[in-house]
Amino acid sequence: MNIMLFHSNHGLRPAVRQAADRLRAAGHEVWTPDLFEGRTFETVEEGMEFNERIGKDELLRRAVLAVAPYSERGLVYAGFSLGASIAQTLALGDEKARGLLLLHGTSDIAAGASVDELPVQLHVAEPDPFETDDWLSAWYLQMGRAGADVEVYRYAGAGHLYTDPDLPDYDEEAAEATWRVALGFLETL
C-alpha cells in the first residue's frame, strides 16, 4: 500500500518517522512530507501558533504539492492530529484514495463531499479535548452520509497524542493497540 503520512502540530518529529518505519516494516511504501519545513515544537500551543502564522490554505497547498507526484498510485491518506485533518481533506477530494487512517484527529467535512465506500479508521483518546463526543458523533454521521465506511476506536484515559513516546500524552498500551488494529486495517485495503 502507498501511504502518505502527515505530522501533527508538533512537526515532523521522531515519532512520525518511527510510525513510518513501522508501516514500512509491514510492507508499505510511506512518505512523510514536512509541512513545517524543518520546524518542530515541544508544545501544542507553539505548534498552533506557527500553524496560524502559516495559515490553513498554505498548509493545504504544501500538502497537495507533496501528494501530487504519488496520487495516481491510489494513496492511503494518514495523519496525526493536524495531519489527520489534512489527510481527511485530501482523501475526500481524491477519487483514487484507497483509504483514510486518522490518528488523534478529524476535520470539517466539505458540503457535498462524496466518496464511494472509502474505508476510514479513526483512533482517538476518550475523552479528547480536541475531539469531543458531540463533535465525533456529528463527524461520524457526516462521514457516513458522504459515503465513507467508518470504524472508530476510542482509548479511555489516553492523552491526545498518545502514540508519541516523546510527549506527556504517551500511553504505551493504547499506542500498541492502535498500531495492531491500524496495521490490520491496512492489510484489508
Side-chain angles (χ1 to χ4, degrees), residues 93-179:
D94 181 354
E95 64 186 29
K96 293 185 188 238
R98 301 280 308 274
L100 177 59
L101 176 60
L102 303 171
L103 302 163
H104 321 294
T106 61
S107 183
D108 293 329
I109 300 165
S114 177
V115 293
D116 187 17
E117 297 181 14
L118 179 71
V120 178
Q121 194 173 86
L122 168 65
H123 296 267
V124 65
E126 181 177 31
D128 187 308
F130 301 104
E131 302 290 326
T132 65
D133 290 342
D134 288 346
W135 166 262
L136 287 173
S137 294
W139 174 86
Y140 181 83
L141 292 172
Q142 289 177 324
M143 287 294 279
R145 280 195 291 271
D149 180 13
V150 182
E151 297 177 347
V152 177
Y153 294 86
R154 304 290 305 269
Y155 300 88
H160 174 64
L161 276 170
Y162 65 83
T163 59
D164 188 328
D166 297 324
L167 294 176
D169 287 349
Y170 182 61
D171 183 314
E172 183 177 9
E173 185 177 331
E176 289 306 313
T178 295
W179 286 115

Side-chain angles (χ1 to χ4, degrees), residues 9-187:
N9 251 335
H10 289 275
L12 187 57
R13 296 166 45 84
V16 179
R17 290 185 181 94
Q18 291 163 3
D21 288 344
R22 184 183 291 235
L23 294 167
R24 287 182 188 111
H28 305 290
E29 190 162 357
V30 184
W31 297 274
T32 56
D34 186 351
L35 303 181
F36 287 179
E37 299 176 333
R39 301 282 308 267
T40 60
F41 302 96
E42 292 302 313
T43 69
V44 172
E45 294 77 19
E46 291 171 333
M48 289 175 86
E49 182 181 309
F50 182 74
N51 182 1
E52 287 172 14
R53 274 187 281 147
I54 292 174
K56 193 174 189 176
D57 290 342
E58 175 60 17
L59 276 181
L60 196 52
R61 184 189 75 76
R62 291 176 184 184
V64 167
L65 288 174
V67 166
Y70 310 103
S71 62
E72 286 298 313
R73 299 179 186 200
L75 294 170
V76 172
Y77 292 88
F80 297 95
S81 193
L82 166 71
S85 70
I86 291 168
Q88 177 186 304
T89 299
L90 294 178
L92 292 179
D94 181 354
E95 64 186 29
K96 293 185 188 238
R98 301 280 308 274
L100 177 59
L101 176 60
L102 303 171
L103 302 163
H104 321 294
T106 61
S107 183
D108 293 329
I109 300 165
S114 177
V115 293
D116 187 17
E117 297 181 14
L118 179 71
V120 178
Q121 194 173 86
L122 168 65
H123 296 267
V124 65
E126 181 177 31
D128 187 308
F130 301 104
E131 302 290 326
T132 65
D133 290 342
D134 288 346
W135 166 262
L136 287 173
S137 294
W139 174 86
Y140 181 83
L141 292 172
Q142 289 177 324
M143 287 294 279
R145 280 195 291 271
D149 180 13
V150 182
E151 297 177 347
V152 177
Y153 294 86
R154 304 290 305 269
Y155 300 88
H160 174 64
L161 276 170
Y162 65 83
T163 59
D164 188 328
D166 297 324
L167 294 176
D169 287 349
Y170 182 61
D171 183 314
E172 183 177 9
E173 185 177 331
E176 289 306 313
T178 295
W179 286 115
R180 270 193 309 279
V181 173
L183 289 170
F185 168 69
L186 293 169
E187 290 302 315

